[in-house]
Amino acid sequence: MPTTRPALGRCTLVGLAGGVLVLVGAAQAASPFTSKVAGSWFFGVPEPAARAAAPGAGGAVGVVCVWAGVALLLVAWYRIVGAVTASSVTPRALGAVLGAWLAPIVLCPPLFSRDVYAYVAQGELLAHGMSPYRVGPAALGAPGVVALVDPLWRHATAPYGPLFVSTGEMIVTVSRHHVLGSLVLLRAVAAVSVLVVAGATAVIARATGRDPARAVALVALNPLVLLVLVGGMHNDALMLAFLAGGVACAYRDRPVVGVVLCAVGATVKLPALVGVLAIGWVWADRGAPRVERLRRLGSAVTVGAGTLALVGVLAMLGWGWLWDVGGPGAVVSWLDPATAVGLAADHLGSALGLGSHRDGAVRVARALALAAAVVTVLVLVGRTERRRAPGALGGGLLAGALLGPAVWPWYVTWCVPFLATSGRRARAALVVVCTWACFADVPPASSLSGAGPGVVVLAVALALAAVSTGWLWCAPVRVADGLSGSPRWEGRARAPGAP
């Protein structure tokens, strides 16, 4: 029988250590990765006086611990994916690893973003009879959750679909309008959604002839998924559960159910509509004429539109949310490719004496990039067939994430379950993009100030030593092959009679 436990056990411990480091770093009084406003979490939030007097070393410790923890999670993830590829491991065997890695993450304060507080505030608006599509969280008036929302979004209307804001209303009602209770429920929703995505990924992998264990390892153990979907509690997790579940149902010969689920996912966040297009186009029989494909696509779009309308009617919130989906684009950053092109064009125009036209240049660049993303989706889906549909879907979603009006690390997760069930190049691209996205939230340099160069150098050295040790300790054990004498991964099934 294959023996994979030693390799998986070591990787599990390294990943667990990484998660604990993230928890410790995020809980530091001066950590830049979490909110320190009173009431934002159960621990790690100092009193105002203590926050003002927090030593500079606290920020450095928080930054180094979090980045070292993320690096250890990545190391363990790389090693497990390699071990799964080279040995006989079932998706169920990865469940214990996922449980160990999730344990410290579910205890963390909301990581890398304050969006979850906006979710709670939007739920409160609806619970108080106000539409989050007409007013922002500031309309609540009283401090409480409004103080927790990022100032950038306090007056912004909700860019999310009616299903999600209705879910927010239900959560704040169940928690009796207790902010921390609402956060716990939202984290539970995110964690369960990730489990659903993992199960759907296994179904898609089997249907397309891919290794389900490797696909599940690439998705469920992915540090980006754990940190931003579970740790950050972003509603992308819920959207992705419906999207991946819909595609999985289509592969189980339930394309209509799949279209409905994808459309329901779009009432959380709009990108799930790509699943409707993919299912409608590729679920005709192989070799079907283009007219038949167009007929199926038209049916899928009709069912999807009907589902959107039904959810909107049941939620009694109207269609105003469709005009607010560009809300996240209010942030203008050089990290967004489309925005960077617009800003560069503005600087070039100013250098040439044409004057500054920053807003116009950014709008034009974003519009062109969004058009390019739509064309990319249509081309990829239009040229694919059923077995390769996940790759086309993942590529289209990745293009949408990177070419949209704003690029956030959690947007990258849209493509994860689909590239994980694709070919080798797509999986390699997935690993590269997710690794980059894990470190995309660069903390301000001020978080390291005041710690002293000695403290910073020592902390970084210890972090590098921990990561190097984790990489070496997780190295797969090679055992002699009794038949050929060549080395092999520990855990690969032995031939009958082999020593």
Side-chain angles (χ1 to χ4, degrees):
M1 292 180 62
T3 55
T4 57
R5 287 189 179 181
L8 287 180
R10 292 180 181 181
C11 292
T12 301
L13 291 176
V14 170
L16 176 60
V20 171
L21 278 175
V22 172
L23 173 59
V24 171
Q28 295 298 308
S31 171
F33 301 105
T34 56
S35 173
K36 300 306 175 185
V37 178
S40 58
W41 195 242
F42 298 95
F43 54 84
V45 183
E47 295 296 329
R51 192 183 307 122
V61 170
V63 170
V64 173
C65 281
V66 169
W67 283 153
V70 173
L72 283 176
L73 280 167
L74 286 168
V75 163
W77 180 51
Y78 298 153
R79 289 301 198 188
I80 285 183
V81 171
V84 168
T85 302
S87 57
S88 302
V89 179
T90 63
R92 183 171 297 182
L94 300 173
V97 183
L98 177 59
W101 291 12
L102 271 177
I105 302 300
V106 297
L107 297 176
C108 282
L111 290 171
F112 306 127
S113 166
R114 293 166 65 176
D115 284 4
V116 69
Y117 303 114
Y119 302 163
V120 176
Q122 289 156 8
E124 288 286 0
L125 285 171
L126 201 54
H128 285 82
M130 294 179 279
S131 172
Y133 300 138
R134 295 183 178 179
V135 296
L140 289 170
V145 69
V146 178
L148 300 175
V149 179
D150 191 309
L152 185 65
W153 309 122
R154 287 179 186 171
H155 297 276
T157 53
Y160 312 119
L163 177 64
F164 183 72
V165 295
S166 298
T167 301
E169 179 192 18
M170 180 183 67
I171 284 175
V172 299
T173 302
V174 170
S175 67
R176 298 185 177 182
H177 305 276
H178 192 273
V179 174
L180 293 179
S182 299
L183 294 178
V184 169
L185 291 176
L186 282 167
R187 176 151 283 163
V189 169
V192 171
S193 297
V194 167
L195 295 179
V196 171
V197 172
T201 300
V203 172
I204 297 171
R206 291 191 184 97
T208 55
R210 308 294 182 185
D211 180 4
R214 179 176 58 200
V216 169
L218 284 167
V219 174
L221 302 182
N222 190 321
L224 181 66
V225 170
L226 298 177
L227 293 169
V228 303
L229 293 190
V230 180
M233 296 181 267
H234 288 282
N235 57 6
D236 303 75
L238 184 59
M239 179 205 75
L240 201 54
F242 282 110
L243 175 57
V247 174
C249 284
Y251 273 113
R252 287 283 184 89
D253 295 324
R254 298 290 186 273
V256 176
V257 176
V259 167
V260 170
L261 287 176
C262 291
V264 171
T267 63
V268 177
K269 292 190 80 168
L270 209 55
L273 281 180
V274 177
V276 173
L277 299 178
I279 293 174
W281 181 254
V282 306
W283 251 259
D285 294 333
R286 176 174 290 186
R290 188 172 294 271
V291 173
E292 174 64 15
R293 285 178 175 264
L294 289 173
R295 188 183 69 81
R296 295 285 185 94
L297 177 61
S299 299
V301 171
T302 301
V303 172
T307 303
L308 285 173
L310 179 61
V311 173
V313 169
L314 293 176
M316 296 183 292
L317 288 171
W319 297 90
W321 65 280
L322 292 173
W323 310 111
D324 294 325
V325 293
V331 177
V332 177
S333 169
W334 283 93
L335 295 177
D336 307 332
T339 303
V341 170
L343 293 175
D346 173 60
H347 282 287
L348 178 61
S350 298
L352 295 176
L354 301 177
S356 177
H357 303 279
R358 178 177 176 270
D359 293 342
V362 168
R363 280 198 300 269
V364 170
R366 286 178 169 178
L368 293 175
L370 188 59
V374 172
V375 170
T376 300
V377 170
L378 295 177
V379 170
L380 289 175
V381 173
R383 297 179 61 181
T384 192
E385 44 86 22
R386 190 176 300 188
R387 186 176 182 273
R388 293 187 173 88
L393 185 55
L397 288 167
L398 181 59
L402 298 180
L403 295 176
V407 179
W408 300 103
W410 43 95
Y411 290 2
V412 174
T413 61
W414 302 346
C415 71
V416 169
F418 308 108
L419 294 187
T421 52
S422 302
R424 181 179 300 177
R425 291 182 180 178
R427 296 195 303 270
L430 168 66
V431 172
V432 171
V433 171
C434 287
T435 301
W436 162 78
C438 280
F439 294 101
D441 284 313
V442 180
S446 59
S447 60
L448 298 177
S449 63
V455 173
V456 174
V457 170
L458 178 60
V460 172
L462 290 175
L464 291 176
V467 172
S468 301
T469 302
W471 177 260
L472 295 174
W473 198 49
C474 284
V477 179
R478 293 178 181 270
V479 297
D481 190 321
L483 296 177
S484 63
S486 59
R488 63 184 180 188
W489 295 100
E490 178 186 23
R492 182 175 292 178
R494 297 184 179 183

